[in-house]
Structure formats: C-alpha cells, structure tokens
Amino acid sequence: HVQLVESGGGTVQTGGSLRLSCAASGSTASRVCVAWFRQAPGKEREGVAHVIRDGRTGYADSMKGRVTISQDNAKNNVYLEMNSLVTDDTAMYSCAAKCAMVSGRPTGACTCWGQGTQVTVS
C-alpha cells in the first residue's frame, strides 16, 4: 500500500505560480508511476502529469508547457510546478499511484490517492 500526502495548494492570482508536493511512503513497488490529477467543481477528473520511477515524464495537453513534474532523488516526493495559472486551473489537485495505464499514460483508475490540495486562481 502507498500513502500519499499533498501540500502546497492555495490561492494565487492569474498569472501566478504554485508548487505542489506529494509525499509518498509505503510500498516502492507501487510507486513506479505517480500521477497528478485535478478535478474542478462540476467537471470530470483529468490527468495533469505523471512521472515514472526511471525519470520519464508525461503531460496532459491542458497544462502542457505550464507545468513541470519532478521527483526527488529518494523518489519519496513528487513535485508539480505550475506557472502562468489561469482561472480554469482552479481545482482540487490530487496525486495518485497504482493507476491503470493506457498507452503509457495513467488513467484515473488508481488504487492509491492522496487527500488532495485545493488550488484557486482568482
């Protein structure tokens, strides 16, 4: 089992930046891929970015070019650096692990989820 704890959310003005963190613990075998998802009120959850343990990364089109996902050397923390934020980026951001993969990308069918961190862009 994997425990995931997000932090770093908050309120930021349009054009601002935030850095989200996902602290992971537990089974390393279950943390081969860690992904960030977001869900805005009334909208479906969508993937934002993912990082594979070997360092490969992937980004969803919605935020491509404005986000960078990274992990620390110990692979215990995954970060999501977000820039040029707009109001449409307002959502609950959650990290997840043990996700079903399709074409090398994690789907929202994940076994392990953090509690989420709210990002509000005003």
Side-chain angles (χ1 to χ4, degrees):
H1 188 60
V2 178
Q3 294 80 43
L4 303 168
V5 180
E6 303 94 333
S7 61
T11 299
V12 63
Q13 291 187 338
T14 298
S17 301
L18 277 176
R19 188 194 197 205
L20 307 183
S21 298
C22 174
S25 59
S27 169
T28 55
S30 298
R31 288 187 270 146
V32 172
C33 175
V34 176
W36 281 97
F37 292 85
R38 68 179 183 178
Q39 188 167 22
K43 294 186 178 181
E44 292 188 356
R45 182 164 54 207
E46 62 175 349
V48 176
H50 69 274
V51 59
I52 308 296
R53 201 165 182 84
D54 63 6
R56 286 176 290 156
T57 59
Y59 297 93
D61 290 340
S62 60
M63 294 194 78
K64 203 168 188 176
R66 299 190 293 123
V67 296
T68 303
I69 191 169
S70 61
Q71 58 189 348
D72 62 12
N73 289 336
K75 311 292 192 294
N76 291 328
N77 293 283
V78 174
Y79 306 103
L80 189 70
E81 187 81 35
M82 305 188 295
N83 302 302
S84 302
L85 289 166
V86 297
T87 54
D88 284 349
D89 295 322
T90 294
M92 180 69 75
Y93 286 71
S94 302
C95 62
K98 294 191 72 176
C99 304
M101 305 289 282
V102 174
S103 300
R105 291 182 175 273
T107 68
C110 307
T111 302
C112 302
W113 290 91
Q115 83 287 352
T117 186
Q118 178 68 38
V119 171
T120 301
V121 184
S122 61

